[in-house]
Amino acid sequence: MNRDLTVDDLLFGGIALASGLLAAFALRILLRWLGGHADRTRWSGDDVIVHALRAVVPWAAVVGGVAGAAAVLPLTRTVQHTTNQVLTVLLIFVATVSVARVVTGLVRTVTQSRSGVAGSATIFVNITRILVLAIGFLVVLQTLGISIAPLLTALGVGGLAVALALQDTLANLFAGIHILASKTVQPGDYIKLSSGEEGYVEDINWRQTTIRNLSNNLIVLPNGQLAQANMTNFMRPEEQLTILVQVGVAYDSDLEHVERVTNEVIAETMNEVEGAVPDHEPIIRFHTFGDSRIGFTVILGVGEFSDQYRIKHEFIKRLHKRYRAEGIRIPAPARTVALQQASVGIPQQRTGEIEPGGLSPARFD
């Protein structure tokens, strides 16, 4: 347009801008009410959607108001085109960020709500976020009139070179995806590797797995090394497990009495100690005639791996106290060491006369 700016133009432009701001304020109130309603539902996905809409919808209304004001003002064609492009890019950017929040939030919600899926693993969330942002960036380039075909070709060639240069990183990435997809290891599991590392899996991201051991220290392990290691998962196929406690009693003990007393201590421990499994049937098995004792194994049920230390501690204390009260002896290992003295020939000594002030020199044959 080549005409001059008038009061009517300013009035209509102000009305358009005010309408956008008013619509943004009203939509924000509406979305806040929807957010409160979503908090009362059981599904957490609606919370994610409403939270993302609260970020994009008010801004969309503001952008619409600015676009309406620019349309009624007597701007030149170049300024009008530039203004529309800037507003479009801004709207696409806000929409892309909001869509990324929605999609990643839904991915996190789905993984947390299904058993056998690594809910707290960030690898799926990060990959999803990168894909959505990359698509939004390509849409912005296409909107600005920049052809993305050469860019995709360059990215394909460059991606091959990057893949060759980042073999270890990509190996860790795909190893992490393989670990999560195969459901062998998931955050929260207690694992032990053949190399000696053990602890609770905190997170599995695009490059590494974080393990927290019982001393509350973090062990950072590359996904490729984890995928190749021999590993024991104490949480699969279920968290409950059995532990073995070795006990021995003297040969003069009444084994029927020993078994009955041990079962009573097991029942007491299983019902009173936190982490024990009262429903687990106690098992006692005599198995060895040892050097100084009859050995047997007590099999106990625990809720999860770290509970075994507390349960063993309490069981041994109570069993020892009960055995002392019942007169059941737990003999200490006895070892007989035979000493063989070699025959050593000692020269015969003759005693000489004692001189005043000392001994006479000894004379030997």
Side-chain angles (χ1 to χ4, degrees):
M1 297 181 183
N2 296 323
R3 64 183 179 84
D4 296 332
L5 182 67
T6 63
V7 177
D8 293 337
D9 295 332
L10 294 176
L11 179 61
F12 288 123
I15 292 175
L17 183 60
S19 300
L21 294 175
L22 183 61
F25 180 74
L27 289 172
R28 188 172 182 83
I29 295 177
L30 176 62
L31 291 172
R32 182 176 300 175
W33 176 82
L34 290 176
H37 181 71
D39 291 336
R40 295 189 293 269
T41 60
R42 298 181 58 183
W43 185 50
S44 58
D46 52 0
D47 299 333
V48 176
I49 296 175
V50 172
H51 178 70
L53 291 178
R54 289 173 65 177
V56 64
V57 172
W59 282 104
V62 173
V63 170
V66 174
V72 299
L73 293 177
L75 302 177
T76 62
R77 181 173 301 177
T78 303
V79 174
Q80 182 74 33
H81 178 70
T82 303
T83 303
N84 291 336
Q85 281 192 331
V86 171
L87 294 177
T88 302
V89 169
L90 179 61
L91 184 60
I92 293 175
F93 173 76
V94 176
T96 301
V97 174
S98 301
V99 171
R101 289 181 179 180
V102 171
V103 176
T104 55
L106 291 177
V107 170
R108 185 180 290 109
T109 300
V110 170
T111 54
Q112 288 177 348
S113 62
R114 295 185 179 181
S115 59
V117 180
S120 61
T122 59
I123 182 170
F124 292 130
V125 175
N126 290 335
I127 291 176
T128 304
R129 182 183 291 112
I130 292 174
L131 288 177
V132 173
L133 294 178
I135 293 174
F137 177 71
L138 294 177
V139 172
V140 169
L141 293 180
Q142 190 70 27
T143 303
L144 295 176
I146 301 174
S147 177
I148 62 175
L151 179 61
L152 294 178
T153 303
L155 288 177
V157 176
L160 180 60
V162 171
L164 294 176
L166 301 178
Q167 293 184 19
D168 294 339
T169 302
L170 294 177
N172 290 325
L173 172 63
F174 289 108
I177 296 176
H178 170 71
I179 290 171
L180 295 177
S182 61
K183 303 178 183 179
T184 55
V185 181
Q186 295 161 31
D189 291 352
Y190 192 96
I191 63 173
K192 182 176 181 179
L193 305 180
S194 57
S195 55
E197 295 88 354
E198 62 178 291
Y200 289 96
V201 178
E202 289 287 307
D203 189 25
I204 304 175
N205 58 30
W206 63 275
R207 182 181 182 277
Q208 61 200 17
T209 298
T210 305
I211 302 173
R212 178 175 55 84
N213 58 20
L214 295 180
S215 60
N216 209 29
N217 296 321
L218 294 179
I219 302 172
V220 180
L221 197 69
N223 291 333
Q225 183 177 345
L226 179 64
Q228 297 176 1
N230 295 329
M231 176 184 57
T232 302
N233 192 335
F234 293 95
M235 298 294 190
R236 306 290 168 184
E238 59 182 13
E239 292 187 12
Q240 293 185 4
L241 67 153
T242 57
I243 58 174
L244 308 180
V245 181
Q246 304 298 330
V247 189
V249 295
Y251 273 93
D252 57 357
S253 302
D254 182 358
L255 297 187
E256 295 292 337
H257 179 58
V258 170
E259 186 174 7
R260 182 173 63 255
V261 171
T262 306
N263 276 321
E264 293 175 359
V265 176
I266 293 174
E268 177 185 345
T269 304
M270 292 294 99
N271 290 310
E272 296 180 3
V273 179
E274 181 183 359
V277 182
D279 297 335
H280 184 271
E281 181 181 358
I283 300 177
I284 300 174
R285 293 292 182 265
F286 294 94
H287 55 73
T288 304
F289 288 101
D291 294 337
S292 59
R293 64 178 67 189
I294 297 177
F296 63 94
T297 300
V298 178
I299 304 177
L300 305 176
V302 298
E304 59 106 1
F305 183 82
S306 62
D307 294 331
Q308 62 175 308
Y309 304 104
R310 178 174 58 255
I311 295 173
K312 280 185 178 181
H313 169 77
E314 290 294 332
F315 174 71
I316 292 175
K317 283 173 50 180
R318 298 181 185 207
L319 187 65
H320 181 262
K321 181 179 180 180
R322 183 66 183 278
Y323 277 6
R324 293 186 63 182
E326 296 289 338
I328 301 175
R329 293 191 306 111
I330 305 177
R335 293 291 183 269
T336 301
V337 180
L339 297 178
Q340 182 177 3
Q341 183 176 1
S343 177
V344 180
I346 302 177
Q348 186 178 7
Q349 177 180 348
R350 294 179 181 179
T351 305
E353 296 180 357
I354 301 176
E355 298 180 354
L359 297 177
S360 62
R363 290 176 295 177
F364 299 94
D365 293 338

